[in-house]
Amino acid sequence: PPAGAPGAWGGVRRRCQRLLYWVPVLFISSILCWSYYAYVTQLCLLTMTNIGEKVVCLIAYHIFFMLFVWSYWKTIFTLPMNPSKEFHLSYSDKESLEREPRGESQQEVLRRAAKDLPIYTRTMSGAIRYCDRCHLVKPDRCHHCSVCDKCILKMDHHCPWVNNCVGFSNYKFFLLFLAYSLVYCLFIAATDLQYFIKFWTNGLPDTQAKFHIMFLFFAAAMFSVSLSSLFGYHCWLVSKNKSTLEVFRAPIFRHRTDKNGFSLGFSKNLRQVFGDEKKYWLLPVFSSLGDGCSFPTCLVNQDPEQASTPGGLNSTSKNENHLFPAKPLRDSQSHLLTDTPSWSETSAKAEKGKVGMNNPALTMENET
């Protein structure tokens, strides 16, 4: 667009916004660079007098520093994964969706498109989860990020401190970033404490190192408190196989809402994020199970022949054993269900008058 046109100003504004999004990352990076100088130069090289203490502290510090920077880098620059092409509507389905009035006719189009997809969750009204910005049927646990303006697989949240969405592709890296940043801060605070006390009580002469060592302790202690609460919260999420978004809005399955619908037990939940090979657990390399589009669930797995019943509900309750869900999971996910002899679940009885997927009054609900 020519200079001064609304489109040109819009492009400039978007570029400025993208630059501003990097400010928190630059802030963390500058704090990290200063802490390196303060700890290595001012504390270890210029203040510590014991050679053995210097060597041990420098070796341990650089190990924690490397793991911290590595995991932070991976969290920032690992691109969030988006739904695969099988979840995007075909050209004919898009045209049909645009022609049909909002309501049951649109849901019929979406049901046809999602017929062979491994989808178990619904909107609050029981409709197929559809993104009208990306034009795709949303996989389970997928949400549209308003900042990235795209659908993110197993989205947890958009984190300004890494200028990236935290989701399936980098959630393990984000956890390790929290863990190693906490260890980094605790190590600095523990080894800096005695010198902080000496400077505070005038046990050491005033030098240039005094400011760096005292402020280093305050910064490490302050970040340790905030990081410990955040890391503890995400450890709890991993143990329950939940995302931050699912804590605030429990996933709604075809038969009912269940806040623990994806939980398979502590051990299997841990393997969902960290993988089966323990040698990779502490390294910021991708080892999570699956492809982010399908997930094992502990809930009843509906019989495909009953997909046409209202709301995906059966008129009578039943107990059945299923080795696999009705719609296929990826190979790396389904083995979590077959570790035990079988999964025995009970479906809920349909409530009278409950709004179902075939209710003519049903309107399509778009989630973000």
Side-chain angles (χ1 to χ4, degrees), residues 7-231:
W9 283 111
V12 172
R13 187 175 63 251
R14 285 191 294 272
R15 284 192 291 270
C16 291
Q17 285 178 338
R18 284 196 291 268
L19 289 176
L20 287 175
Y21 289 151
W22 285 102
V23 170
V25 176
L26 294 175
F27 173 75
I28 294 295
S29 301
S30 61
I31 290 291
L32 187 60
C33 292
W34 167 78
S35 68
Y36 184 91
Y37 167 77
Y39 190 89
V40 173
T41 302
Q42 296 295 335
L43 178 61
C44 292
L45 298 181
L46 299 180
T47 304
M48 289 183 181
T49 55
N50 186 293
I51 299 299
E53 183 184 12
K54 279 186 182 183
V55 172
V56 171
C57 287
L58 284 172
I59 291 175
Y61 173 84
H62 281 91
I63 291 174
F64 298 141
F65 180 82
M66 181 194 68
L67 291 170
F68 178 13
V69 172
W70 187 8
S71 56
Y72 190 44
W73 178 275
K74 293 284 286 187
T75 307
I76 295 172
F77 293 105
T78 299
L79 295 176
M81 287 180 63
N82 312 121
S84 55
K85 62 181 181 180
E86 62 187 316
F87 290 90
H88 290 75
L89 294 187
S90 64
Y91 181 77
S92 59
D93 285 337
K94 287 180 186 177
E95 285 192 328
S96 299
L97 203 64
E98 291 172 358
R99 286 197 307 266
E100 299 292 346
R102 295 181 67 88
E104 174 59 22
S105 53
Q106 281 191 336
Q107 273 297 295
E108 185 59 38
V109 174
L110 294 177
R111 279 199 294 274
R112 286 200 310 269
K115 179 169 60 72
D116 297 321
L117 298 176
I119 295 174
Y120 301 96
T121 55
R122 298 290 186 263
T123 65
M124 294 181 67
S125 62
I128 298 291
R129 297 172 67 242
Y130 172 74
C131 180
D132 57 357
R133 293 184 64 87
C134 300
H135 303 292
L136 57 82
V137 175
K138 291 183 181 179
D140 293 342
R141 316 185 81 176
C142 173
H143 297 274
H144 187 89
C145 176
S146 58
V147 180
C148 301
D149 196 26
K150 59 181 67 174
C151 285
I152 308 298
L153 294 180
K154 196 186 176 184
M155 179 177 172
D156 187 88
H157 68 290
H158 186 92
C159 181
W161 299 107
V162 300
N163 190 27
N164 200 3
C165 258
V166 177
F168 176 76
S169 62
N170 63 351
Y171 187 63
K172 178 192 173 185
F173 306 148
F174 178 73
L175 280 173
L176 292 179
F177 157 61
L178 293 180
Y180 290 131
S181 58
L182 177 58
V183 171
Y184 178 79
C185 291
L186 290 174
F187 174 79
I188 289 177
T191 53
D192 186 34
L193 178 59
Q194 60 172 317
Y195 298 96
F196 169 82
I197 294 174
K198 288 178 181 179
F199 275 118
W200 187 268
T201 58
N202 297 317
L204 290 174
D206 286 345
T207 61
Q208 184 185 3
K210 180 176 181 178
F211 164 78
H212 292 284
I213 290 174
M214 295 188 72
F215 189 70
L216 185 64
F217 177 81
F218 277 122
M222 179 185 66
F223 279 110
S224 295
V225 173
S226 58
L227 285 169
S228 60
S229 58
L230 185 59
F231 178 61

Side-chain angles (χ1 to χ4, degrees), residues 224-295:
S224 295
V225 173
S226 58
L227 285 169
S228 60
S229 58
L230 185 59
F231 178 61
Y233 172 70
H234 279 278
C235 286
W236 175 79
L237 289 180
V238 171
S239 71
K240 299 295 183 181
N241 203 353
K242 294 181 180 181
S243 68
T244 299
L245 291 176
E246 289 167 351
V247 170
F248 291 99
R249 180 188 292 180
I252 302 168
F253 293 85
R254 285 179 288 194
H255 57 299
R256 61 187 171 93
T257 299
D258 194 300
K259 62 182 181 181
N260 295 314
F262 291 108
S263 181
L264 306 174
F266 178 79
S267 176
K268 293 187 175 74
N269 292 344
L270 195 66
R271 288 159 55 193
Q272 285 270 290
V273 175
F274 291 96
D276 289 327
E277 299 190 60
K278 294 182 179 179
K279 62 183 178 181
Y280 296 124
W281 282 11
L282 299 181
L283 296 177
V285 294
F286 185 81
S287 59
S288 301
L289 297 181
D291 60 1
C293 292
S294 62
F295 300 90

Side-chain angles (χ1 to χ4, degrees), residues 307-346:
S308 61
T309 60
L313 295 167
N314 301 329
S315 58
T316 58
S317 298
K318 65 177 181 177
N319 290 313
E320 293 187 19
N321 292 334
H322 298 266
L323 279 179
F324 297 100
K327 293 181 180 179
L329 292 169
R330 280 27 179 204
D331 292 340
S332 58
Q333 289 285 18
S334 58
H335 83 274
L336 288 174
L337 292 178
T338 57
D339 283 350
T340 53
S342 65
W343 289 85
S344 178
E345 300 101 354
T346 305

